[in-house]
Amino acid sequence: MYTCGALPVSGGIPGKISPSQEYRSFWWHGECVGYGRYWPSDYSAPDLKQGLQLAQEAAERLKVPFLVIDIAKTRQGHWIIIECNDAQESGYASIPPLQLWRNILEQVKSNSQADH
């Protein structure tokens, strides 16, 4: 089974990709508006902030208005980017959808007020 060198976690389906310590993050114009575990397993990373900083750097470089960046921690303890996608076409993973959209609306309101 392929895990791309990411730190494995429990769970999974035999013959499929093994779950790893992977997180999905949503970015609205370079600002993180939501993140959470990618897999339904119970895992956490005390240094998740470092992974999100890597995702933020990617979001700033890509300059895509609504973006999803999946990050994972490797067996060696490094954070890597698994993939970047159009957020309109991405599942929520463990991110509460209503909170995600509220966060986006807050960003829109705040940017709109700053323009006036």
Side-chain angles (χ1 to χ4, degrees):
M1 286 179 275
Y2 180 70
T3 61
C4 70
L7 190 63
V9 296
S10 64
I13 299 170
K16 301 289 182 181
I17 293 176
S18 298
S20 61
Q21 199 169 95
E22 185 175 348
Y23 295 83
R24 170 155 286 176
S25 58
F26 282 81
W27 299 83
W28 179 259
H29 294 277
E31 297 291 325
C32 185
V33 289
Y35 65 89
R37 290 186 309 269
Y38 184 84
W39 300 102
S41 302
D42 187 24
Y43 55 91
S44 64
D47 61 344
L48 178 57
K49 187 174 181 178
Q50 290 178 344
L52 291 171
Q53 287 172 339
L54 176 64
Q56 182 173 18
E57 184 179 329
E60 289 169 357
R61 288 181 180 195
L62 291 169
K63 297 184 186 329
V64 173
F66 192 31
L67 178 67
V68 158
I69 300 175
D70 295 343
I71 56 173
K73 191 165 188 178
T74 67
R75 294 174 191 262
Q76 295 77 26
H78 304 288
W79 285 97
I80 58 173
I81 294 174
I82 298 294
E83 65 178 332
C84 301
N85 289 308
D86 179 349
Q88 298 176 95
E89 301 295 327
S90 299
Y92 295 110
S94 68
I95 301 157
L98 288 177
Q99 187 60 52
L100 171 72
W101 289 103
R102 284 185 186 121
N103 293 344
I104 291 169
L105 288 173
E106 285 301 315
Q107 287 291 324
V108 170
K109 285 179 190 176
S110 158
N111 290 340
S112 155
Q113 291 171 354
D115 290 343
H116 293 321

